[in-house]
Amino acid sequence: MATPKPEKLLCVLPLPAPPNLEQQMKEKHPEMDFEYIFHRFDTRNALACVKDIVPPEKFQSATVLVTLTMLPDPADCPNLELIHVFSAGTNHIANHPIFTNTKIPICTATGVHGPQIAEWVLMTLLAHNHLLPRMYEFQKKHLWERERTMEFHRVRDLVGQRIGVLGYGSIGRQIARVSKAMGMDVIAYTATPKKTPEARQDSGYIVPGTGDPDGSIPSAWFGGLDKDSLHNFLEQDIDVLVLSLPLTAKTRHLLGEAEFEILAKKQAFLVNISRGEIIDQPDLIRALEKGSLRGAALDVTDPEPLPKDDPLWDAPNILIAPHISGVGSAYSERAFQILDINLTRRAKGEKLINVVQRERGY
């Protein structure tokens, strides 16, 4: 009988290990040797800086790698069979030789962000609708302005407003769930048309009690990556448009002047929690200045970090955050839950979840 191949789980992450992680991994996956390497977040090219942090020999025996940005040269990881990335998107590693020149399965943390990001989306939307920045200015000046301002009488609640979710993955589904609870009508858009109930189901990781597992929340579904299909979706009297789709060659600058002119029909509010490059940023600034859009909340920009002298900072009716909408105390715990699911499935020879389709880029 052949000797089983040694298994090694190597974690290289820019966050401290959760309490008792090593013990839990040994109990659930005793066949695996476990090593955790903490490093500070580094925005340099992953291949260029990984050798500064992890000696190449550390990768030699690794069969499973958990990482965010740090990937080894393919020659340094001859035994690697699975990569688990602690992010939903993989555009930041799409040009790495591991991604382009190997067939090592790559799985993501898709599904862990939904609750946190959905709350951020609704928080920014409600803050804009209810003039929270204006109220805070009153507070800082110690002004009781109830009798002297009429602008609050123009506040419109969300009931009956239509939210278009452009990119109906795990994040989009939780945004839909909380929006529906606020009385909004939800319509969904996906790159691949979902015409049957089976196609509309969510087959990835779902935080219990969240999302839209069976795809029943939207009142209408739209799909396709051609401009005609996109414009048909945007023409559906959308009050709020949320971007929650991955960045690929086909989605870069997906929204620009023509799309903002369509949204001007209802003077829509735009929220982007996906990637900054999906929007033509100068066109967005002009749309805000013209009043084609009533406002925008951006957790992502192009580039990042946004330079101090970038005109986006001073665009009217805008809220900008430094790519933090998905950050939270439960992030790491949920990401390791996905890893645990896939390690268990891998050991049983079952199909993995959250597997990146390289040809699609996500």
Side-chain angles (χ1 to χ4, degrees):
M1 181 179 296
T3 303
K5 182 180 178 179
E7 294 272 23
K8 180 178 179 179
L9 172 61
L10 177 63
C11 297
V12 184
L13 293 168
L15 66 163
N20 304 318
L21 175 64
E22 183 172 2
Q23 179 183 345
Q24 292 172 4
M25 283 295 172
K26 287 182 176 179
E27 290 176 354
K28 293 183 176 181
H29 309 283
E31 74 283 0
M32 286 198 156
D33 184 25
F34 178 86
E35 183 174 4
Y36 197 106
I37 298 175
F38 166 76
H39 68 86
R40 297 195 178 279
F41 187 78
D42 199 317
T43 57
R44 292 178 295 164
N45 176 272
L47 184 58
C49 64
V50 66
K51 292 182 180 180
D52 298 340
I53 296 169
V54 186
E57 59 268 20
K58 290 284 187 181
F59 294 107
Q60 289 289 328
S61 59
T63 52
V64 178
L65 172 64
V66 180
T67 184
L68 178 61
T69 59
M70 298 295 175
L71 290 173
D73 188 296
D76 292 332
C77 54
N79 296 298
L80 197 57
E81 296 180 357
L82 175 64
I83 298 171
H84 179 69
V85 182
F86 258 46
S87 61
T90 55
N91 60 286
H92 62 293
I93 61 170
N95 294 322
H96 193 285
I98 285 274
F99 195 98
T100 58
N101 300 340
T102 80
K103 295 184 179 181
I104 301 170
I106 299 174
C107 298
T108 69
T110 297
V112 307
H113 311 79
Q116 183 83 353
I117 292 182
E119 290 181 10
W120 189 92
V121 169
L122 265 292
M123 174 188 73
T124 56
L125 177 56
L126 291 170
H128 176 82
N129 276 14
H130 290 268
L131 308 177
L132 182 61
R134 188 86 168 115
M135 285 191 286
Y136 187 51
E137 287 299 317
F138 292 160
Q139 178 185 329
K140 288 192 293 183
K141 295 176 182 178
H142 298 190
L143 296 176
W144 186 267
E145 291 284 8
R146 188 175 190 276
E147 302 299 330
R148 289 194 290 167
T149 180
M150 293 298 294
E151 57 192 319
F152 291 95
H153 289 275
R154 297 194 296 270
V155 170
R156 178 188 170 194
D157 58 50
L158 295 177
V159 176
Q161 292 198 45
R162 171 168 289 169
I163 184 168
V165 184
L166 183 50
Y168 205 66
S170 61
I171 295 171
R173 288 169 186 261
Q174 178 62 6
I175 293 170
R177 185 186 185 103
V178 296
S179 299
K180 185 76 171 180
M182 297 294 289
M184 302 185 78
D185 177 53
V186 179
I187 60 175
Y189 191 96
T190 56
T192 304
K194 310 288 186 182
K195 297 182 178 180
T196 66
E198 292 75 22
R200 295 174 179 177
Q201 294 177 1
D202 186 353
S203 60
Y205 173 80
I206 304 172
V207 177
T210 72
D212 181 19
D214 60 2
S216 62
I217 290 176
S219 61
W221 285 71
F222 299 81
L225 281 175
D226 60 285
K227 283 291 187 176
D228 287 344
S229 296
L230 175 64
H231 289 181
N232 181 41
F233 170 70
L234 298 179
E235 288 167 353
Q236 303 302 310
D237 292 333
I238 292 175
D239 297 288
V240 180
L241 178 67
V242 179
L243 308 185
S244 60
L245 66 169
L247 175 65
T248 68
K250 292 183 178 180
T251 62
R252 182 171 278 105
H253 288 183
L254 187 65
L255 269 71
E257 181 181 10
E259 290 70 39
F260 297 141
E261 284 303 311
I262 295 172
L263 293 170
K265 177 183 177 182
K266 293 293 294 283
Q267 203 183 17
F269 186 81
L270 176 70
V271 186
N272 188 7
I273 49 80
S274 50
R275 293 294 184 268
E277 297 96 316
I278 290 172
I279 291 175
D280 185 311
Q281 204 155 278
D283 283 357
L284 172 62
I285 295 171
R286 285 189 286 270
L288 289 167
E289 291 174 342
K290 289 168 53 180
S292 300
L293 301 174
R294 72 173 184 266
L298 309 177
D299 185 46
V300 289
T301 62
D302 180 19
E304 293 183 9
L306 190 66
K308 289 187 177 181
D309 60 352
D310 195 289
L312 185 68
W313 290 109
D314 298 314
N317 300 317
I318 197 168
L319 185 150
I320 300 173
H323 205 148
I324 45 77
S325 66
V327 177
S329 59
Y331 189 109
S332 180
E333 176 187 351
R334 290 171 182 160
F336 275 109
Q337 286 176 2
I338 298 175
L339 174 65
D340 178 45
I341 291 170
N342 273 339
L343 290 179
T344 301
R345 290 188 170 212
R346 177 173 173 266
K348 295 179 178 180
E350 298 175 352
K351 184 178 179 180
L352 305 180
I353 63 172
N354 290 6
V355 179
V356 173
Q357 299 180 48
R358 281 172 166 83
E359 68 279 4
R360 297 177 64 181
Y362 58 94

